Amino acid sequence: MIRKTILIAMMVYTSVNFAQKIKGSDTVLPLAQKEAETYMKSNKTAKLTVTGGGSGVGFAALVDNTTDIAMASRKIKMDEKIKLQDAGRAFKEVTIAFDALSVIVNNDNKVSQLTREQLEGIFTGKIKNWKEVGGDDMPMVVYSRESSSGTFEFFKEHVMNKKNYASSVLSMPATGAIVQSVSQTKGAIGYIGLAYMDKQVKALKVSYDAGKTYIAPSMETAKNKTYPVVRPLYYYYATSVEKTVKPFIDYVLSAEGQKIVEQVGYVPLSK
Amino acid sequence: MKTFYKKFSERFIEGLLMLSSSITSLTVVLIVVFLFKEGIGLFNQKPVEPGYVITINKSNKVKELSSAQIKNIYDQKITHWSEVGGTHDSIVLFQLEDIGNYYSDEQIGDNMQNLSYCLNRLVDSLPNIIAFFPDKYLAKDFKGTILEVDKVSLTDFFAGKEWIPTAKPSAQLGVLPLILGTLWVSLGAILLALPLGLAAAVYMSEIANDKVRRIMKPLIELLAGIPSVVYGFFGLVIIVPLIQKTFNLPVGETGLAGSIVLGIMALPTIITISEDAMRNTPRAMKEASLALGASKWQTIYKVIIPYSISGISAGAILGIGRAIGETMAVLMVTGNAAVIPHTILAPVRTIPATIAAELGETSNGGLHYKALFALGCILFLITLFINLTVEFISNRKKHNKH
């Protein structure tokens, strides 16, 4: 009896001791959860706990040493880098998957392609009518995510050339709400993750070379890197814990792990 | 002995009751103090992120820029120094991420040990540069000018027309569109809900027979139990397209959609409370009125409503309170564009929706965080003001009557 309790106590102790903590971006969360589940199934001794909260939360936890891996849907910012340096912690960055953003419009909209410059004009409020980009004479209704979302920042940096959104842009609390609104508003334009794409709305072809080639968003074009509005998703970890986290990260990067990436709706790393 | 015990237990219960009421009041006071402490801290901060500096070349004539000017420069709406009182040269924008365009990784060093030296040289060599970087990398012998940025002022905050709290390098914290949006939506809601609610209350307390009342009352009270996100989704899927089609608008997410949803949400409060107040009119008063030959409608209009006016206004206050403080339903239907509304048929952004949507990702104690608490203070003051006004009005009415 006593031996049994000691054994259980030891098991609890070791599992607590070796549980790896993964924390950060809510975009990466569903993927990390799925990966952790399957990893723990095939690897009985491993213990992983995954929590969300946002990319910023993950980096803060990495600085405070309260997580082993920080998930992020954006690159580490300069000030976070400085904080890590001040704490004397070297870190490594691993790209684990990609997320493609589709620019969507209403199904009745004639326009089917836009350049990056046009998108910048639309979201900064310079272009206000669809006829300016070759569509019908109707006012544009621009939808974006709330400023707390990682997609908001990504779109600002990569599509809008770091300029600020116009004040007249409508901001929605969730991606689902954007799809709903765009599907019922004729002059609407918005952006969503590729995984949320459905038939209620139309995805636009996008050109990053001033209109020479237009690429439609899809799993294939995102995989072969021709589609430009793609953002990497990252894991960050301190080099001091590399030994303990390495097996899991190797699993994520393996063919099996990358299969899960596609199941969750993100774009796997191309080999 | 028995009486002593009885007395003691009574005292004990009285003590408990007092304790619970004082705990409640204390909690309210503590929350208000916390709210204002965090909110007022905003005015001690600069709109530029702490730990960062904005610098220019020392030959530049410009010495000071407002927060709005900085934002417009980085948005490339201001492209020449002449527009802000300088020379006729175009502005060269620089942020720390751009350092790779000027210096190689080797020049900066593995641990960024040469970064401050590089930044110093860069700002010194380009006469038209405006550079934004952490003050940590400000060299000791820095040769440029560090721009002075004023603290967030009351006028900037209350009269500013742009709410872009995440703008870099300088946040735009104008709350005028948010305050107006909140008032607009709440006003619309109460204009819709008050007449409808009052009419329903009069019908239920005076006209409807018992059978109808027994079905209707629980039905209306059920409205109060529906989660607000359900109202929000209902609004987004049903009311928003309806408004868009009816008024032939480019966009259906408008202040009116918010007003309708909030009006529906405020109805149960208004109806239940004012109906209870009307039913509390003494039977003697009603019968006296009828005996004097007044019709049913005259009795309602001249006796019941004046008698129960304080209850009705209490219902109205609580209804407005719900409308002003509601977050989730409004967040989903009003479109949340932070522009000053000129009509109720345009998208608006309300204060509670802003706090709900943004507070989760702000850094604790930062500028954005404090700005959202300051918004909370404004909301608190608006509600307080409405409560006091209605209290004042209903008190005066009572005095006139006697």
Side-chain angles (χ1 to χ4, degrees):
Chain A
M1 185 61 205
I2 294 169
R3 277 172 77 183
K4 220 176 191 177
T5 37
I6 291 175
L7 205 69
I8 290 170
M10 269 176 68
M11 272 169 68
V12 169
Y13 175 75
T14 46
S15 63
V16 168
N17 201 19
F18 292 115
Q20 293 174 32
K21 282 164 293 216
I22 304 176
K23 200 176 203 176
S25 161
D26 290 320
T27 316
V28 192
L29 183 67
L31 173 61
Q33 250 167 356
K34 196 91 196 275
E35 300 268 15
E37 266 168 37
T38 46
Y39 179 70
M40 283 191 285
K41 245 179 229 157
S42 59
N43 205 332
K44 289 278 189 297
T45 55
K47 267 273 184 227
L48 297 159
T49 51
V50 187
T51 45
S55 304
V57 173
F59 286 125
L62 200 61
V63 174
D64 301 338
N65 203 6
T66 54
T67 188
D68 296 300
I69 299 177
M71 316 180 265
S73 59
R74 57 167 167 82
K75 252 190 159 21
I76 187 165
K77 278 186 190 163
M78 196 44 109
D79 53 336
E80 288 158 342
K81 234 187 231 176
I82 292 165
K83 270 187 203 152
L84 271 170
Q85 224 177 42
D86 289 347
R89 299 166 62 76
F91 64 90
K92 276 198 179 149
E93 172 195 292
V94 188
T95 306
I96 55 157
F98 292 100
D99 180 20
L101 285 191
S102 338
V103 179
I104 54 167
V105 294
N106 190 278
N107 273 333
D108 295 338
N109 200 321
K110 271 204 317 200
V111 176
S112 62
Q113 55 188 38
L114 289 173
T115 65
R116 190 201 66 74
E117 288 75 13
Q118 284 171 328
L119 284 173
E120 180 189 318
I122 291 168
F123 280 87
T124 54
K126 259 187 222 152
I127 299 175
K128 292 196 168 80
N129 195 305
W130 281 104
K131 70 181 174 195
E132 292 171 61
V133 293
D136 294 328
D137 181 11
M138 66 182 163
M140 274 178 179
V141 182
V142 186
Y143 290 92
S144 139
R145 284 293 308 280
E146 280 291 348
S147 59
S148 56
S149 135
T151 35
F152 176 93
E153 283 291 325
F154 170 78
F155 203 78
K156 179 173 155 186
E157 272 177 30
H158 289 257
V159 182
M160 295 162 66
N161 209 3
K162 290 185 190 160
K163 290 176 188 164
N164 284 305
Y165 289 83
S167 309
S168 57
V169 168
L170 302 162
S171 59
M172 304 304 276
T175 303
I178 292 190
V179 175
Q180 176 70 34
S181 294
V182 171
S183 71
Q184 64 196 25
T185 307
K186 275 216 172 102
I189 181 165
Y191 56 82
I192 57 171
L194 192 61
Y196 291 92
M197 203 50 216
D198 70 18
K199 288 204 177 86
Q200 292 179 56
V201 290
K202 182 169 92 173
L204 290 184
K205 291 182 193 164
V206 177
S207 162
Y208 258 49
D209 50 8
K212 273 179 233 149
T213 46
Y214 287 91
I215 313 288
S218 72
M219 197 58 100
E220 285 70 44
T221 53
K223 260 195 222 169
N224 66 24
K225 301 254 166 77
T226 46
Y227 184 68
V229 197
V230 169
R231 61 169 173 171
L233 305 174
Y234 305 99
Y235 279 167
Y236 284 86
Y237 60 91
T239 33
S240 54
V241 296
E242 183 155 15
K243 246 188 205 147
T244 47
V245 300
K246 197 77 184 147
F248 175 62
I249 287 178
D250 284 342
Y251 171 76
V252 172
L253 299 178
S254 71
E256 201 183 335
Q258 291 297 308
K259 213 184 272 166
I260 297 171
V261 169
E262 201 161 341
Q263 279 169 15
V264 179
Y266 294 124
V267 183
L269 306 168
S270 46
K271 280 275 143 64
Chain B
M1 191 64 208
K2 226 174 184 180
T3 48
F4 168 76
Y5 181 73
K6 206 173 170 189
K7 251 189 184 167
F8 177 77
S9 68
E10 258 176 30
R11 274 284 170 80
F12 181 71
I13 290 172
E14 269 174 26
L16 264 185
L17 294 179
M18 199 187 82
L19 193 70
S20 47
S21 66
S22 44
I23 285 178
T24 318
S25 339
L26 195 69
T27 318
V28 172
V29 171
L30 274 180
I31 290 176
V32 172
V33 168
F34 171 69
L35 179 68
F36 276 84
K37 198 186 116 247
E38 296 288 336
I40 286 168
L42 172 71
F43 301 105
N44 278 324
Q45 291 209 326
K46 294 184 172 182
V48 177
E49 227 175 304
Y52 279 83
V53 285
I54 299 175
T55 60
I56 49 176
N57 186 278
K58 67 168 183 292
S59 67
N60 203 318
K61 278 192 286 182
V62 178
K63 294 285 174 272
E64 208 174 326
L65 288 173
S66 72
S67 176
Q69 282 170 332
I70 295 171
K71 181 222 154 210
N72 284 333
I73 287 174
Y74 272 88
D75 272 358
Q76 293 166 32
K77 280 179 190 152
I78 294 176
T79 50
H80 288 83
W81 282 112
S82 57
E83 291 168 66
V84 289
T87 54
H88 280 278
D89 299 300
S90 55
I91 299 172
V92 179
L93 291 178
F94 175 82
Q95 293 188 34
L96 199 51
E97 290 90 48
D98 306 332
I99 190 81
N101 305 343
Y102 298 94
Y103 294 99
S104 68
D105 281 354
E106 287 111 56
Q107 280 170 306
I108 298 166
D110 293 337
N111 292 317
M112 298 184 275
Q113 63 268 41
N114 297 328
L115 189 56
S116 42
Y117 172 76
C118 294
L119 286 170
N120 194 2
R121 272 223 343 231
L122 185 73
V123 175
D124 195 39
S125 61
L126 295 169
N128 295 315
I129 195 171
I130 177 164
F132 171 64
F133 56 85
D135 58 6
K136 220 186 137 176
Y137 295 118
L138 205 59
K140 285 207 180 75
D141 56 336
F142 189 67
K143 293 190 189 100
T145 316
I146 299 168
L147 268 185
E148 286 297 322
V149 182
D150 290 335
K151 286 178 182 168
V152 178
S153 72
L154 277 171
T155 39
D156 278 352
F157 189 65
F158 285 103
K161 289 175 184 158
E162 266 189 317
W163 173 260
I164 313 177
T166 54
K168 272 191 171 176
S170 188
Q172 306 295 306
L173 301 169
V175 296
L176 193 61
L178 307 184
I179 296 178
L180 290 177
T182 309
L183 294 180
W184 229 178
V185 171
S186 312
L187 185 73
I190 217 66
L191 284 182
L192 289 172
L194 203 54
L196 199 65
L198 269 185
V202 168
Y203 174 75
M204 291 222 310
S205 77
E206 301 305 322
I207 299 164
N209 60 33
D210 250 15
K211 213 171 148 195
V212 177
R213 226 180 74 81
R214 235 176 280 151
I215 300 170
M216 271 176 80
K217 183 132 187 179
L219 214 62
I220 288 170
E221 277 163 4
L222 206 62
L223 264 183
I226 298 173
S228 61
V229 67
V230 175
Y231 280 106
F233 198 71
F234 166 77
L236 182 62
V237 177
I238 309 284
I239 295 175
V240 165
L242 198 70
I243 288 177
Q244 191 185 355
K245 271 185 207 118
T246 321
F247 296 97
N248 197 18
L249 297 170
V251 56
E253 281 100 343
T254 55
L256 182 62
S259 295
I260 293 176
V261 171
L262 284 184
I264 299 173
M265 292 178 77
L267 270 180
T269 323
I270 297 177
I271 296 176
T272 339
I273 294 178
S274 30
E275 195 226 337
D276 284 348
M278 285 179 200
R279 287 173 71 79
N280 279 336
T281 315
R283 206 186 161 85
M285 276 178 88
K286 268 194 263 179
E287 281 174 356
S289 163
L290 293 171
L292 284 172
S295 68
K296 203 167 187 179
W297 168 241
Q298 281 170 329
T299 308
I300 291 170
Y301 178 59
K302 292 280 186 192
V303 176
I304 294 172
I305 291 187
Y307 183 82
S308 52
I309 190 72
S310 65
I312 293 173
S313 40
I317 301 171
L318 291 176
I320 299 174
R322 173 135 204 208
I324 286 191
E326 176 51 43
T327 51
M328 203 54 217
V330 183
L331 192 59
M332 295 183 79
V333 298
T334 54
N336 303 318
V339 282
I340 292 177
H342 296 289
T343 133
I344 195 117
L345 295 174
V348 297
R349 189 177 180 92
T350 67
I351 293 176
T354 307
I355 298 175
E358 294 175 6
L359 194 59
E361 290 280 323
T362 57
S363 67
N364 205 329
L367 179 76
H368 189 182
Y369 172 89
K370 287 193 172 142
L372 292 177
F373 269 90
L375 276 181
C377 296
I378 296 174
L379 196 62
F380 175 79
L381 291 178
I382 293 176
T383 327
L384 190 70
F385 176 74
I386 292 174
N387 282 9
L388 291 179
T389 330
V390 178
E391 201 116 304
F392 177 72
I393 291 170
S394 60
N395 274 348
R396 209 179 50 182
K397 281 252 168 76
K398 255 184 213 153
H399 283 299
N400 287 350
K401 214 161 55 183
H402 293 303

